[in-house]
CSV table of all heavy atoms in Angstrom, one decimal:
chain,number,residue,atom,x,y,z
H,8,ARG,N,0.8,-1.2,0.0
H,8,ARG,CA,0.0,0.0,0.0
H,8,ARG,C,0.8,1.3,0.0
H,8,ARG,O,0.6,2.2,-0.8
H,8,ARG,CB,-0.9,0.0,1.2
H,8,ARG,CG,-1.9,1.1,1.2
H,8,ARG,CD,-3.0,1.0,2.3
H,8,ARG,NE,-2.4,1.3,3.6
H,8,ARG,CZ,-3.2,1.4,4.6
H,8,ARG,NH1,-4.5,1.2,4.6
H,8,ARG,NH2,-2.7,1.7,5.8
H,9,GLY,N,1.8,1.4,0.9
H,9,GLY,CA,2.7,2.5,0.9
H,9,GLY,C,2.1,3.9,1.3
H,9,GLY,O,2.6,4.9,0.9
H,10,TRP,N,1.1,3.9,2.1
H,10,TRP,CA,0.6,5.2,2.6
H,10,TRP,C,1.4,5.8,3.7
H,10,TRP,O,2.3,5.1,4.2
H,10,TRP,CB,-0.8,5.0,3.2
H,10,TRP,CG,-1.9,4.7,2.2
H,10,TRP,CD1,-1.8,4.5,0.8
H,10,TRP,CD2,-3.3,4.5,2.4
H,10,TRP,NE1,-3.0,4.2,0.2
H,10,TRP,CE2,-3.9,4.2,1.2
H,10,TRP,CE3,-4.0,4.5,3.6
H,10,TRP,CZ2,-5.3,4.0,1.1
H,10,TRP,CZ3,-5.4,4.2,3.5
H,10,TRP,CH2,-6.0,4.0,2.3
H,11,PRO,N,1.2,7.1,4.0
H,11,PRO,CA,2.0,7.6,5.1
H,11,PRO,C,1.8,6.8,6.4
H,11,PRO,O,0.7,6.4,6.7
H,11,PRO,CB,1.3,9.0,5.3
H,11,PRO,CG,0.7,9.3,4.0
H,11,PRO,CD,0.3,8.0,3.5
H,12,GLY,N,3.0,6.5,7.0
H,12,GLY,CA,3.0,5.8,8.3
H,12,GLY,C,3.0,4.2,8.1
H,12,GLY,O,3.3,3.5,9.0
H,13,ASP,N,2.8,3.8,6.8
H,13,ASP,CA,2.8,2.3,6.6
H,13,ASP,C,4.3,1.8,6.7
H,13,ASP,O,4.5,0.7,7.3
H,13,ASP,CB,2.3,2.0,5.2
H,13,ASP,CG,0.8,2.1,5.1
H,13,ASP,OD1,0.1,2.4,6.2
H,13,ASP,OD2,0.2,1.9,4.0
H,14,ALA,N,5.3,2.5,6.2
H,14,ALA,CA,6.6,2.1,6.4
H,14,ALA,C,7.1,2.0,7.8
H,14,ALA,O,7.8,1.0,8.2
H,14,ALA,CB,7.6,3.0,5.6
H,15,GLU,N,6.7,3.0,8.6
H,15,GLU,CA,7.0,3.0,10.0
H,15,GLU,C,6.4,1.8,10.8
H,15,GLU,O,7.1,1.1,11.6
H,15,GLU,CB,6.6,4.3,10.7
H,15,GLU,CG,7.4,5.5,10.2
H,15,GLU,CD,6.9,6.1,8.8
H,15,GLU,OE1,5.9,5.6,8.3
H,15,GLU,OE2,7.6,7.0,8.4
H,16,LEU,N,5.1,1.5,10.5
H,16,LEU,CA,4.5,0.4,11.1
H,16,LEU,C,5.1,-0.9,10.6
H,16,LEU,O,5.3,-1.9,11.4
H,16,LEU,CB,3.0,0.4,10.9
H,16,LEU,CG,2.1,-0.7,11.5
H,16,LEU,CD1,2.4,-0.8,13.0
H,16,LEU,CD2,0.7,-0.5,11.2
H,17,ALA,N,5.3,-1.1,9.4
H,17,ALA,CA,5.9,-2.3,8.8
H,17,ALA,C,7.3,-2.5,9.4
H,17,ALA,O,7.7,-3.7,9.8
H,17,ALA,CB,6.1,-2.2,7.3
H,18,ALA,N,8.1,-1.5,9.7
H,18,ALA,CA,9.4,-1.6,10.3
H,18,ALA,C,9.3,-2.1,11.7
H,18,ALA,O,10.0,-3.0,12.2
H,18,ALA,CB,10.1,-0.3,10.3
H,19,GLU,N,8.3,-1.6,12.4
H,19,GLU,CA,8.1,-2.1,13.8
H,19,GLU,C,7.6,-3.6,13.8
H,19,GLU,O,8.1,-4.4,14.6
H,19,GLU,CB,7.1,-1.3,14.6
H,19,GLU,CG,7.0,-1.7,16.0
H,19,GLU,CD,6.3,-0.7,16.9
H,19,GLU,OE1,5.7,0.3,16.4
H,19,GLU,OE2,6.4,-0.9,18.1
H,20,LEU,N,6.8,-3.9,12.8
H,20,LEU,CA,6.3,-5.3,12.7
H,20,LEU,C,7.4,-6.3,12.4
H,20,LEU,O,7.4,-7.4,12.8
H,20,LEU,CB,5.2,-5.4,11.7
H,20,LEU,CG,3.8,-4.8,12.1
H,20,LEU,CD1,2.9,-4.7,10.9
H,20,LEU,CD2,3.2,-5.6,13.2
H,21,ALA,N,8.4,-5.8,11.6
H,21,ALA,CA,9.6,-6.6,11.2
H,21,ALA,C,10.7,-6.6,12.2
H,21,ALA,O,11.6,-7.5,12.1
H,21,ALA,CB,10.1,-6.1,9.9
H,22,ALA,N,10.6,-5.7,13.2
H,22,ALA,CA,11.7,-5.7,14.2
H,22,ALA,C,11.8,-6.9,15.0
H,22,ALA,O,10.8,-7.5,15.4
H,22,ALA,CB,11.5,-4.5,15.1
H,23,PRO,N,13.1,-7.4,15.2
H,23,PRO,CA,13.2,-8.5,16.1
H,23,PRO,C,12.6,-8.2,17.5
H,23,PRO,O,12.7,-7.1,17.9
H,23,PRO,CB,14.7,-8.7,16.2
H,23,PRO,CG,15.3,-7.9,15.1
H,23,PRO,CD,14.3,-6.9,14.8
H,24,ARG,N,12.1,-9.2,18.1
H,24,ARG,CA,11.4,-9.0,19.4
H,24,ARG,C,12.5,-9.0,20.5
H,24,ARG,O,13.5,-9.7,20.4
H,24,ARG,CB,10.3,-10.0,19.7
H,24,ARG,CG,9.2,-9.9,18.7
H,24,ARG,CD,8.6,-8.5,18.8
H,24,ARG,NE,7.9,-8.2,17.5
H,24,ARG,CZ,7.8,-7.0,17.0
H,24,ARG,NH1,8.2,-6.0,17.7
H,24,ARG,NH2,7.1,-6.8,15.9
H,25,GLY,N,12.2,-8.3,21.6
H,25,GLY,CA,13.1,-8.3,22.7
H,25,GLY,C,13.4,-6.8,23.1
H,25,GLY,O,13.3,-6.0,22.2
H,26,PRO,N,13.9,-6.6,24.3
H,26,PRO,CA,14.1,-5.2,24.7
H,26,PRO,C,15.2,-4.6,23.8
H,26,PRO,O,16.3,-5.1,23.7
H,26,PRO,CB,14.6,-5.4,26.1
H,26,PRO,CG,14.2,-6.8,26.6
H,26,PRO,CD,14.1,-7.6,25.3
H,27,GLY,N,14.9,-3.4,23.3
H,27,GLY,CA,15.8,-2.6,22.5
H,27,GLY,C,16.3,-3.2,21.2
H,27,GLY,O,17.2,-2.8,20.6
H,28,SER,N,15.5,-4.2,20.7
H,28,SER,CA,15.9,-4.9,19.4
H,28,SER,C,15.5,-4.1,18.2
H,28,SER,O,14.4,-3.5,18.2
H,28,SER,CB,15.2,-6.3,19.4
H,28,SER,OG,15.7,-7.1,20.4
H,29,GLY,N,16.3,-4.2,17.2
H,29,GLY,CA,16.0,-3.6,15.9
H,29,GLY,C,16.1,-2.1,15.8
H,29,GLY,O,16.0,-1.4,16.8
H,30,PRO,N,16.2,-1.6,14.6
H,30,PRO,CA,16.3,-0.1,14.4
H,30,PRO,C,15.1,0.7,14.8
H,30,PRO,O,15.2,1.8,15.3
H,30,PRO,CB,16.6,0.0,12.9
H,30,PRO,CG,16.1,-1.2,12.3
H,30,PRO,CD,16.2,-2.3,13.3
H,31,TYR,N,13.9,0.1,14.7
H,31,TYR,CA,12.7,0.8,15.0
H,31,TYR,C,12.6,1.0,16.5
H,31,TYR,O,12.1,2.0,17.0
H,31,TYR,CB,11.5,0.1,14.5
H,31,TYR,CG,10.2,1.0,14.6
H,31,TYR,CD1,10.0,2.0,13.6
H,31,TYR,CD2,9.3,0.9,15.6
H,31,TYR,CE1,8.9,2.8,13.7
H,31,TYR,CE2,8.2,1.7,15.6
H,31,TYR,CZ,8.0,2.6,14.7
H,31,TYR,OH,6.9,3.4,14.7
H,32,ARG,N,13.3,0.2,17.3
H,32,ARG,CA,13.2,0.2,18.7
H,32,ARG,C,14.0,1.4,19.3
H,32,ARG,O,14.0,1.7,20.4
H,32,ARG,CB,13.7,-1.1,19.4
H,32,ARG,CG,12.8,-2.2,19.1
H,32,ARG,CD,11.5,-2.0,19.8
H,32,ARG,NE,10.7,-3.2,19.5
H,32,ARG,CZ,9.4,-3.2,19.8
H,32,ARG,NH1,8.8,-2.1,20.3
H,32,ARG,NH2,8.6,-4.2,19.5
H,33,THR,N,14.8,2.1,18.4
H,33,THR,CA,15.5,3.3,18.9
H,33,THR,C,14.6,4.4,19.1
H,33,THR,O,14.9,5.4,19.8
H,33,THR,CB,16.6,3.7,17.9
H,33,THR,OG1,16.0,4.0,16.6
H,33,THR,CG2,17.7,2.6,17.7
H,34,LEU,N,13.4,4.3,18.6
H,34,LEU,CA,12.3,5.3,18.8
H,34,LEU,C,11.8,5.1,20.2
H,34,LEU,O,11.6,4.0,20.7
H,34,LEU,CB,11.2,5.3,17.8
H,34,LEU,CG,11.6,5.5,16.3
H,34,LEU,CD1,10.4,5.3,15.4
H,34,LEU,CD2,12.2,6.9,16.2
H,35,LEU,N,11.6,6.2,20.9
H,35,LEU,CA,11.1,6.1,22.3
H,35,LEU,C,9.6,5.8,22.3
H,35,LEU,O,8.8,6.4,21.6
H,35,LEU,CB,11.3,7.5,23.0
H,35,LEU,CG,12.8,7.9,23.2
H,35,LEU,CD1,12.8,9.3,23.7
H,35,LEU,CD2,13.5,6.9,24.1
H,36,PRO,N,9.2,4.8,23.2
H,36,PRO,CA,7.8,4.5,23.3
H,36,PRO,C,7.0,5.6,24.0
H,36,PRO,O,7.5,6.2,24.9
H,36,PRO,CB,7.8,3.2,24.1
H,36,PRO,CG,9.0,3.3,24.9
H,36,PRO,CD,10.0,4.0,24.1
H,37,LEU,N,5.8,5.9,23.4
H,37,LEU,CA,5.0,6.9,24.0
H,37,LEU,C,3.5,6.4,24.0
H,37,LEU,O,3.0,6.1,22.9
H,37,LEU,CB,5.1,8.2,23.2
H,37,LEU,CG,4.4,9.5,23.8
H,37,LEU,CD1,4.9,9.9,25.2
H,37,LEU,CD2,4.5,10.6,22.8
H,38,PRO,N,2.8,6.4,25.1
H,38,PRO,CA,1.4,5.9,25.1
H,38,PRO,C,0.5,7.0,24.6
H,38,PRO,O,0.0,7.8,25.3
H,38,PRO,CB,1.2,5.6,26.6
H,38,PRO,CG,2.1,6.5,27.3
H,38,PRO,CD,3.3,6.7,26.4
H,39,VAL,N,0.3,7.0,23.3
H,39,VAL,CA,-0.4,8.1,22.6
H,39,VAL,C,-1.5,7.6,21.7
H,39,VAL,O,-1.4,6.5,21.2
H,39,VAL,CB,0.5,9.0,21.8
H,39,VAL,CG1,1.2,8.3,20.7
H,39,VAL,CG2,-0.1,10.3,21.3
H,40,ASP,N,-2.6,8.3,21.6
H,40,ASP,CA,-3.7,7.9,20.8
H,40,ASP,C,-3.5,8.6,19.4
H,40,ASP,O,-3.5,9.8,19.3
H,40,ASP,CB,-5.0,8.5,21.4
H,40,ASP,CG,-6.3,8.2,20.5
H,40,ASP,OD1,-6.1,7.9,19.4
H,40,ASP,OD2,-7.4,8.4,21.1
H,41,LEU,N,-3.2,7.8,18.4
H,41,LEU,CA,-2.9,8.3,17.1
H,41,LEU,C,-4.1,9.1,16.5
H,41,LEU,O,-3.9,10.1,15.7
H,41,LEU,CB,-2.5,7.2,16.1
H,41,LEU,CG,-1.1,6.6,16.4
H,41,LEU,CD1,-0.9,5.4,15.5
H,41,LEU,CD2,0.0,7.6,16.3
H,42,GLY,N,-5.3,8.7,16.8
H,42,GLY,CA,-6.4,9.5,16.4
H,42,GLY,C,-6.5,10.9,16.9
H,42,GLY,O,-6.8,11.8,16.2
């Protein structure tokens, strides 16, 4: 699809699991409502 935000979500879905794993995990977690 390639819409805005799709690449970011796909990167997180592809990231290896575990604390601090993968390049997407360098982003700080924030409990936010995207809507």
Side-chain angles (χ1 to χ4, degrees):
R8 186 171 76 172
W10 288 2
D13 286 355
E15 291 79 5
L16 181 54
E19 186 167 9
L20 289 165
R24 297 298 156 210
S28 297
Y31 194 77
R32 294 291 178 194
T33 61
L34 298 177
L35 298 171
L37 184 64
V39 64
D40 178 347
L41 289 175

